[in-house]
Amino acid sequence: MSDARLSGPPPAPSRRWSWTDPKLRSSVIQIVLALILIWLAWAFYANAQSNLTRLGIASGFGFLDNRAGFAISQTLIPYNENMSYGRAFMVGLLNTLLVAFLGIVLATIIGFLMGVARLSKNVVIKALASAYVEITRNLPPLFQILFWYLAVLSTLPGPRQSWGFGIQPVLGAIGSGLSGIGLGFLGGPLSAFAASLAAPSVFVNNRGLVVPRPIFEDGSMAILYALIVAVVASIAIGLWAKKRREATGKPFPVFWTGLALVILLPLAASAAAGFPVTVEKPELRGFNFVGGLRVIPEFVSLLLALSIYTGGFIAEIVRSGIMAVSKGQTEAAHSLGLRTGPTLRLVVIPQAMRVIVPPLTSQYLNLTKNSSLGVAVGYPDLFAVFAGSTLNQTGQAIEIIAVTMAVYLTISIVTSTIMGWYNKRVALVER
């Protein structure tokens, strides 16, 4: 006879699958839905291919290698009419990323300043901030883009009467002002001194902003490498300073140290390489400026409108985030001797970020998508260049619309991923 104690535990009874089992029912439903979606996608693709073949319309992405044949007013990479549609797509994509990145930075700065200003005890500052929020939030973004483009930038003088910015115009204006009030003995020499200075290099007119253009010669890569090293070193110092503060309670001037590294390291690399970066100043020749770097008014109007419009929403998000922090935190900071500024920067804002970040992500996504409104003023973003000019010339709507949708979806997912990572870092960790 065998010993029952040595035979081990009895085997578990076999499980019988039944439709009443929630897991089985859920799995079957998901498989059926997946098969239906796959069938619909295939039916859509087959139907589209059949119709395109019947109409004699070419399909596929071979058109990306064909000659574009149209010019683009703003290009961050070399481009001309003889280049391909693929190159035009890259130009439009970079223009979209440029206005989205700068818009997010400007809108964040404006929103935080206005959000804090709305909580100010100064009645004038609070009223101005409230008026800004109410006006910008309640006007459509397209209207604001057209306002800046048609009512502001288009009314600026032409290239011959451009507004120059520099020390010479300022001193000249002061000299003229002194002469105008009877102080010619001061205004005359000051105007003469202003005339002896170099002409201004920054001009504003109805064709945009004209600024000096840096020209990078051999050895310029050393400056870029030095800048990368400075940024990495600043991040490393920030992480070290955080651990040091948590261990000892002693602060470290991370911002000023990082700023010094970012400025001094590239400057030292430039000196070691013999200053390989020169500057090309714009010159007025005929009816327009030659040389320099021109920022087109379409870009300026789109950037200003999106930044100011989104800044109004961010201001309310910041205000609500600050108000969500208990007043006891502020009172405790004041009892420790912290003034209002350090209390806001070191105590209130870090806690408010847990409330601010999720809705802030939505505003960043909205700003990126609203950049497609630039087509109203002719800004050459992805939508205007690829889903506009390229689509009109090639007629390959399915491929172009699919790629455009995929690009905007990818940008949104990347933005959400970055903000989600940051949200986890500032979230309250329960122990």
Side-chain angles (χ1 to χ4, degrees):
M1 295 179 63
S2 61
D3 191 351
R5 293 174 298 179
L6 299 177
S7 61
S14 59
R15 186 176 181 182
R16 296 184 59 187
W17 292 101
S18 170
W19 183 246
T20 57
D21 186 346
K23 290 185 177 179
L24 174 63
R25 188 169 61 247
S26 175
S27 300
V28 171
I29 291 174
Q30 292 182 48
I31 291 173
V32 171
L33 286 177
L35 291 175
I36 291 174
L37 289 176
I38 293 173
W39 177 79
L40 286 175
W42 171 254
F44 174 78
Y45 174 77
N47 186 49
Q49 286 292 326
S50 175
N51 290 333
L52 291 174
T53 303
R54 180 172 53 82
L55 296 174
I57 300 176
S59 60
F61 293 94
F63 72 94
L64 292 174
D65 296 327
N66 297 338
R67 177 178 177 272
F70 58 85
I72 301 177
S73 58
Q74 175 180 296
T75 60
L76 299 180
I77 56 177
Y79 173 82
N80 58 54
E81 295 88 342
N82 295 321
M83 292 186 175
S84 64
Y85 287 118
R87 189 73 171 185
F89 164 78
M90 288 303 301
V91 171
L93 174 60
L94 291 176
N95 287 341
T96 294
L97 294 177
L98 176 66
V99 74
F101 175 76
L102 294 180
I104 286 173
V105 173
L106 288 178
T108 303
I109 295 173
I110 294 172
F112 269 77
L113 291 177
M114 289 299 163
V116 174
R118 286 208 69 183
L119 298 173
S120 174
K121 295 180 181 178
N122 188 307
V123 178
V124 177
I125 294 177
K126 184 176 182 179
L128 290 175
S130 301
Y132 162 79
V133 170
E134 296 303 328
I135 291 174
T136 56
R137 283 198 315 166
N138 293 297
L139 292 177
L142 180 59
F143 172 81
Q144 297 192 36
I145 293 171
L146 295 175
F147 167 79
W148 284 105
Y149 185 70
L150 299 175
V152 178
L153 299 180
S154 295
T155 59
L156 293 176
R160 286 180 174 274
Q161 294 79 33
S162 297
W163 294 347
F165 291 89
I167 188 66
Q168 185 196 45
V170 173
L171 293 180
I174 295 175
S176 300
L178 292 175
S179 300
I181 60 175
L183 298 177
F185 64 96
L186 292 177
L190 190 59
S191 298
F193 175 71
S196 66
L197 297 177
S201 301
V202 178
F203 301 92
V204 173
N205 53 57
N206 57 8
R207 297 186 184 180
L209 173 68
V210 187
V211 298
R213 182 168 68 95
I215 298 177
F216 300 97
E217 300 174 353
D218 294 339
S220 301
M221 291 302 294
I223 302 175
L224 177 62
Y225 296 147
L227 180 62
I228 294 174
V229 170
V231 172
V232 173
S234 300
I235 295 173
I237 290 175
L239 296 176
W240 168 79
K242 182 180 179 182
K243 292 182 179 179
R244 178 175 179 265
R245 186 179 67 249
E246 292 176 350
T248 64
K250 296 181 179 178
F252 187 83
V254 177
F255 175 78
W256 295 112
T257 305
L259 183 63
L261 285 174
V262 169
I263 294 175
L264 295 179
L265 271 184
L267 191 62
S270 177
F275 296 101
V277 181
T278 58
V279 176
E280 180 189 62
K281 293 185 177 180
E283 296 181 5
L284 181 62
R285 295 179 185 174
F287 296 100
N288 205 351
F289 283 91
V290 176
L293 186 66
R294 188 168 73 94
V295 183
I296 59 177
E298 292 81 5
F299 170 76
V300 177
S301 59
L302 179 63
L303 179 64
L304 287 175
L306 293 183
S307 302
I308 294 173
Y309 173 74
T310 310
F313 290 91
I314 294 178
E316 282 300 274
I317 294 172
V318 171
R319 185 179 68 87
S320 61
I322 293 175
M323 293 184 68
V325 178
S326 171
K327 290 185 178 179
Q329 298 291 322
T330 303
E331 294 171 355
H334 287 164
S335 67
L336 293 174
L338 288 179
R339 292 173 295 177
T340 303
T343 298
L344 188 66
R345 188 177 70 254
L346 301 175
V347 178
V348 177
I349 293 293
Q351 298 184 68
M353 292 302 292
R354 298 162 187 161
V355 181
I356 292 173
V357 170
L360 190 63
T361 304
S362 299
Q363 295 305 318
Y364 288 170
L365 299 180
N366 289 337
L367 188 146
T368 303
K369 291 179 287 188
N370 285 338
S371 66
S372 62
L373 294 175
V375 70
V377 293
Y379 177 69
D381 72 328
L382 175 67
F383 186 81
V385 172
F386 198 59
S389 301
T390 303
L391 175 59
N392 290 333
Q393 291 190 5
T394 62
Q396 298 198 233
I398 295 178
E399 293 84 355
I400 290 177
I401 295 300
V403 171
T404 306
M405 289 171 57
V407 168
Y408 279 110
L409 181 63
T410 303
I411 294 174
S412 298
I413 290 175
V414 171
T415 304
S416 300
T417 303
I418 295 173
M419 294 302 292
W421 168 80
Y422 180 70
N423 190 34
K424 287 183 179 178
R425 287 187 59 85
V426 300
L428 182 63
V429 179
E430 297 182 357
R431 300 178 180 175

